[in-house]
């Protein structure tokens, strides 16, 4: 077969592209929510058979920001990479992925975040594991025992008018942690609610449902953000615990999260997936994020054919092409992405033979990328 033609999707490709993606993924493809439409710019790329113009593959990348070390780094959330069953295993997926990464970089993104169904395909394209997404089943009656706030907010369904306030809430939360994406107003078939106190939006959550043998359905929490701990707990207690219709809630419960500390007992995760990160533009990704305060480091990063000098001071980095005097580390692009995410500990990577460098360089890298575990809350 001649090489596939790679191009941006056109409006007339929509039905064919959706059928292709729908056939590749067993899950129900997301539909736009009824009251709050998506606001982000989306890049859709396709691979076409040059012989007959048939679509062979499609991908979707939402332009957004991702928060690292308190700063917003331009990124894309990649989803729906699908090659037609009849065209797999001959390089179409790789070609479309490279084309999508190029288009994302041309649009200003320096990172890509994705939830893989096949790690190897993305690892070969330079992406590394960034964290786990552990979903826990929580009994609704346990949520009902959470403390009732002194000043209970008023709840209502979110509307398009709430988008700026919710985006600001998400950004304030994101600046305290790692891996969070900008607010995306479209949440598929989930219903969105806001909590309001004194006419100010102080909380937001997006709740879906799935079939269950216990109760009428299980509530799934797509995302939940409160301006303060009392509001966050109130959302779990008053909206998520949809008792008695639902007996269970499925939600991500990151280690050290507020809810984890308030639940009376620990359970095993019912789903445990990983998510991946790719550095589309290494110097921009390194220079765009924040670093721990008070750390001063000069380091040479040798990433295969590219060598970068990293100079970190005052929580930010200057990055230049080429080596500099001082500590030097050598590692692959996918492993650098995992280190960037704080998922791969440089010392363990050194021990495992994934990273070469002297002790001082490894320690510096460890200090630079230490931080809260990166959480990718929303599936996409
Ligand atoms: C995953 C998918 C996109 C790969 O597309 P493809 O055209 O078959 O992949 P390519 O032929 O371009 O393969 C590129 C490289 O990835 C590797 N690869 C592809 N699929 C793989 C898999 N499932 N497991 C391990 N490696 C895989 C190939 O071996 C190849 O490596 P090589 O160049 O060293 O030989 C395709 O199988 C697909 O659409 N699957 C269903 C939907 C899906 O899972 N998408 C990913 C969602 S996150």
């Amino acid at each position: 077969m001649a090489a596939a033609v790679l191009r941006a999707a056109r409006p007339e490709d929509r039905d064919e592209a959706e059928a292709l993606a729908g056939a590749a993924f067993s899950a129900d493809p997301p539909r736009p929510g009824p009251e709050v439409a998506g606001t982000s710019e989306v890049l859709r790329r396709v691979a076409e058979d040059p012989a007959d113009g048939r679509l062979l593959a499609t991908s979707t990348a939402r332009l957004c920001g991702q928060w690292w070390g308190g700063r917003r780094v331009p990124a894309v959330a990649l989803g729906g990479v699908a090659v037609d069953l009849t065209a797999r295993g001959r390089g179409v997926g790789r070609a479309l992925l490279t084309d999508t990464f190029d288009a994302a970089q041309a649009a200003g993104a320096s990172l890509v975040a994705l939830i893989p169904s096949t790690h190897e395909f993305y690892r070969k394209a330079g992406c590394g594991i960034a964290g786990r997404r552990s979903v826990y089943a929580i009994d609704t009656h346990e949520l009902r025992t959470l403390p009732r706030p002194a000043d209970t907010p008023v709840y209502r369904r979110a509307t398009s008018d709430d988008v700026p306030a919710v985006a600001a809430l998400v950004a304030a939360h994101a600046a305290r942690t790692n891996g969070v994406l900008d607010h995306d107003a479209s949440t598929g078939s989930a219903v969105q609610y806001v909590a309001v106190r004194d006419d100010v939006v102080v909380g937001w959550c997006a709740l879906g449902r799935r079939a269950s043998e216990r109760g009428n359905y299980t509530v799934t929490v797509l995302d939940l953000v409160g301006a303060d701990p009392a509001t966050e707990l109130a959302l779990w207690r008053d909206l998520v615990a949809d008792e008695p219709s639902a007996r269970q809630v499925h939600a991500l419960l990151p280690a050290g999260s507020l809810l984890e500390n308030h639940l009376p007992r620990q359970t095993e995760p019912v789903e445990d997936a990983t998510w991946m990160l790719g550095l589309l533009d290494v110097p921009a990704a390194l220079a765009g994020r924040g670093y721990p305060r008070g750390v001063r480091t000069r380091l040479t990063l040798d990433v295969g054919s590219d060598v970068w000098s990293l100079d970190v001071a005052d929580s930010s980095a200057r990055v230049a092409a080429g080596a500099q005097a001082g500590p030097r580390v050598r590692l692959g692009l996918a492993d650098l992405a995992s280190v960037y995410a704080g998922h791969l500990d440089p010392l363990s990577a050194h021990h495992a033979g994934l990273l070469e460098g002297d002790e001082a360089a490894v320690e510096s890298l460890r200090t630079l990328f230490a931080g809260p575990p990166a959480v990718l809350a929303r599936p996409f």
Side-chain angles (χ1 to χ4, degrees), residues 10 30 34 39-41 70 72 116 123 153 167 185 200 243 248 282 295 306 330 340 354 367 378:
R10 304 183 192 116
T39 45
S40 331
E41 197 188 327
R72 179 186 181 276
R123 190 174 163 82
V200 177
E243 227 191 9
Q248 271 196 336
V282 174
V295 175
D306 294 318
R330 183 180 162 82
Y340 185 102
L354 300 171
T367 309
R378 282 273 313 279

Side-chain angles (χ1 to χ4, degrees), residues 81-83 88-91 93-94 115 117-118 120-122 124:
V81 177
V83 176
R88 290 186 193 166
R90 51 189 206 217
R94 156 96 45 93
I115 300 169
S117 53
T118 142
E120 202 50 27
F121 174 65
Y122 292 108
K124 283 181 169 159

Side-chain angles (χ1 to χ4, degrees), residues 97-135:
L97 199 58
T98 306
D99 168 79
T100 306
F101 286 178
D102 288 348
Q105 206 183 329
S110 42
L111 297 174
V112 54
L114 61 101
I115 300 169
S117 53
T118 142
H119 288 85
E120 202 50 27
F121 174 65
Y122 292 108
R123 190 174 163 82
K124 283 181 169 159
C127 301
I129 294 177
R132 303 203 75 85
R133 304 184 76 253
S134 306
V135 173

Side-chain angles (χ1 to χ4, degrees), residues 274-288:
T274 51
W275 67 278
M276 297 180 90
L277 183 75
L279 310 188
L280 298 174
D281 179 334
V282 174
L286 290 168

